[in-house]
Amino acid sequence: MKIKNIIYKSSLVLASAAMLASCSDQLDTLPDNRTTLDTPKKVAGLLVTAYPDRTPTLFNEWMSDNTDYMGPRNSLGDRGGDQYFFWQEHTEGGNDSPEQVWMFYYEGIYKANEALAAIEELGGANNESLRNSKGEALLLRAYNHFILANEFCRPYNGKTSTTDAGIYYATDIADFSAGAQQGERGNVADVYAKIAADIEAGIPLINDTYEVQKYHFNKKAAYAFATRFYLYYEKWAKAKEYADRLLGSNPAASLRDYKALQAMPLSNSDQAVKIAEAYCNVAAECNLLIQTSVSNAGMALAPWNYYKRYALTNYLSQTEVVESNNIWGTESNLIWKPFTINQGESNCAMTMKLPREVEIVNVTTGSGYLRTLNVDFTIDEALLNRAEAEIMLGQNDAACADMTIWMQNYFNTSVTLTPASVTAYFNSVPYAYDDAEKLVPSFKKHISPRFTIGAEGSEQESLLQCMLNFRRIETVHQGMRWFDIRRYNIEIPRRLIGANGKPLKNLDWLVKDDPRQTVQIPQSIREAGVAGNPTKALSSSAKLVDISQYRKPELSLVNQRPLSPGVITF
């Protein structure tokens, strides 16, 4: 079986339930549409389809410490969800699966390469439209490889990335026929060097010639991507450089208006969708790149009785995340308060970020796909990314200034952070799970990044603790916390929540350098010749539920909300 069959098949039978059922003869020849890409407008149109229509948001969130476990008897989950929660290889399929992420992100890479080839056949990027399209294609190629690398490879680090297995970096459409080459994963360091080259080549070409800029890699989104990428690449000065370009002299003026979101009514499911849509609004200056994807995340990470076996519980929110007492004060200082549910089998604290949308594909039957929107890059996250870079560069006053700007926008607080005050505060807070049973929570967790930082209790470590807390809150429900857990090598438990809403025991533990920090290469891709990742046996206490125990709520696509008993009126 040629690897091209797995990577590119999704573009031939999009959204088909039999997407991976076989490798038919028709896949032995890749479609080549370059002969029809004979105008700048057609090239730009192709790139619209190069943004992946799937997202790792849901399984990343479930794998992180933003999620507790309500137990196998809770009917609002399934075997596939348990596999994600317990960091096991996923075998159940579905739109929110690593297999779909692999296929759709590589499909986007193919289309980006197709656009780049077409631009060359048109004589090169010799006008404004083609220059912008070339820049967009390079950034898409870089971004899609970046996501794949951060799901299926170990995090970049300067110590082992020259030997850690990477992913195949496709720079030409012909690469998708080169099965032997694609089976060679190379190393993470090489992948990151190629991503950096595409970013540096792409950004100068972007001139924002889009009808709706925020659905594309516009200049600001490109800067935000570069900032995040160079943090992960441990190139702190480059991360700060791009953050400075993006944020300007007054970043506070461009941050999210949480007071406006808090003012919106929230008493039923439809209103929850409206708040999430407002969060994703293209008119919000803080939003830089917004994407849509086929996903259950808009229901699972929102106030529906759906996949609530895994949730940001009220206890977790109150002890570690948005409702905890922290350096800003108490929960009463919070501007945008989460909606809390504790009824039936649902125990969760939700902030409305991911709208539940429905794409009707058959008007007669009312059937279609659940979709969601996600804001991939924001000014708010970029501000915290700059703070991290500043901490690593020893610019601690600047980092505290940036973190203060973020904190005073998210909370009603007059606290001003300084290196001394942050250090004193975090040294007064105990580390999580230092008790004998490893159950006592704290928002302060032992961090062991593979890059060098100060000792525990040092000014630098305290500032990093503060920044990680803030970014966890800023990106909750968006899967980003998982990347920080990997990058900072944070140990986290799999806690079973009891009837009183508090942890009963730990069912499993993700230790430092645990191979389960890296998502397994999907089985179909391994069968096609790509080597898998190291594995670790399932903990004896983390038993996966029998799929027959699970029944999903019925959904009405016409009414766009769950039918009874799934519907929630708050």
Side-chain angles (χ1 to χ4, degrees), residues 470-487:
F470 288 1
R471 189 154 60 214
R472 185 181 186 185
I473 292 168
E474 173 60 36
T475 62
V476 69
H477 301 325
Q478 295 175 296
M480 294 291 295
R481 172 65 175 177
W482 177 242
F483 295 143
D484 276 347
I485 288 168
R486 285 164 38 88
R487 293 176 58 232

Side-chain angles (χ1 to χ4, degrees), residues 227-238:
T227 298
R228 186 191 297 172
F229 167 73
Y230 281 115
L231 277 186
Y232 288 26
Y233 202 10
E234 300 178 4
K235 296 188 183 298
W236 323 115
K238 291 287 288 185

Side-chain angles (χ1 to χ4, degrees), residues 134-144 198-200 202-203 206 217-218 222 225:
K134 183 174 182 178
E136 184 180 16
L138 288 167
L139 286 163
L140 271 168
R141 187 168 74 185
Y143 181 66
N144 288 0
D198 277 348
I199 289 173
E200 296 300 327
I203 284 180
I206 295 292
F217 260 113
N218 56 77
F225 171 36

Side-chain angles (χ1 to χ4, degrees), residues 369-409:
Y369 303 111
L370 281 173
R371 303 188 71 92
T372 192
L373 295 171
N374 189 42
V375 184
D376 288 349
F377 295 101
T378 67
I379 292 288
D380 305 64
E381 183 220 349
L383 182 63
L384 294 176
N385 290 347
R386 184 169 72 175
E388 179 180 350
E390 289 163 341
I391 294 168
M392 294 308 301
L393 290 168
Q395 300 171 6
N396 294 346
D397 289 332
C400 285
D402 281 343
M403 290 192 292
T404 298
I405 292 171
W406 180 89
M407 181 182 68
Q408 291 183 350
N409 185 66

Side-chain angles (χ1 to χ4, degrees), residues 69-262:
Y69 190 60
M70 303 306 294
R73 294 184 179 180
N74 182 292
S75 70
L76 304 178
D78 60 14
R79 183 178 178 85
D82 282 15
Q83 288 174 333
Y84 291 136
F85 181 82
F86 290 112
W87 313 299
Q88 298 300 304
E89 180 177 357
H90 189 260
T91 62
E92 306 304 309
N95 291 322
D96 294 288
S97 68
E99 186 175 61
Q100 294 272 294
V101 168
W102 179 284
M103 291 172 63
F104 276 81
Y105 277 75
Y106 265 119
E107 181 195 351
I109 292 165
Y110 181 94
K111 291 178 177 178
N113 286 336
E114 193 175 12
L116 290 167
I119 291 169
E120 291 307 305
E121 291 185 0
L122 288 170
N126 53 23
N127 61 51
E128 188 177 68
S129 177
L130 287 176
R131 280 193 294 273
N132 191 79
S133 289
K134 183 174 182 178
E136 184 180 16
L138 288 167
L139 286 163
L140 271 168
R141 187 168 74 185
Y143 181 66
N144 288 0
H145 281 108
F146 175 69
I147 294 298
L148 289 168
N150 278 281
E151 296 295 341
F152 300 108
C153 306
R154 290 188 72 194
Y156 176 88
N157 72 90
K159 298 177 181 177
T160 68
S161 285
T162 55
T163 56
D164 292 335
I167 54 167
Y168 188 70
Y169 202 96
T171 57
D172 189 273
I173 58 173
D175 292 349
F176 289 81
S177 299
Q181 292 183 35
Q182 291 178 40
E184 295 294 328
R185 292 182 59 177
N187 61 68
V188 171
D190 184 56
V191 172
Y192 266 66
K194 290 174 179 176
I195 293 172
D198 277 348
I199 289 173
E200 296 300 327
I203 284 180
L205 300 174
I206 295 292
N207 51 43
D208 291 350
T209 54
Y210 308 112
E211 289 186 16
V212 183
Q213 291 186 12
K214 292 184 179 180
Y215 292 132
H216 300 267
F217 260 113
N218 56 77
K219 186 73 90 175
K220 288 184 176 181
Y223 289 157
F225 171 36
T227 298
R228 186 191 297 172
F229 167 73
Y230 281 115
L231 277 186
Y232 288 26
Y233 202 10
E234 300 178 4
K235 296 188 183 298
W236 323 115
K238 291 287 288 185
K240 179 173 168 57
E241 172 192 337
Y242 280 107
D244 287 344
R245 293 191 200 182
L246 169 64
L247 297 172
S249 60
N250 186 21
S254 301
L255 297 180
R256 190 174 301 282
D257 186 350
Y258 288 108
K259 292 179 180 178
L261 294 174
Q262 178 63 28

Side-chain angles (χ1 to χ4, degrees), residues 426-455:
F426 277 89
N427 279 337
S428 72
V429 175
Y431 287 97
Y433 319 129
D434 271 359
D435 59 302
E437 295 182 340
K438 292 189 172 184
L439 282 176
V440 177
S442 173
F443 50 79
K444 177 183 172 183
K445 299 189 176 181
H446 296 286
I447 58 177
S448 304
R450 297 164 187 91
F451 49 86
T452 302
I453 64 170

Side-chain angles (χ1 to χ4, degrees), residues 281-299:
N281 196 328
V282 294
E285 189 175 355
C286 59
N287 292 338
L288 304 178
L289 180 65
I290 304 162
Q291 292 301 304
T292 178
S293 56
V294 176
S295 174
N296 290 321
M299 288 192 67

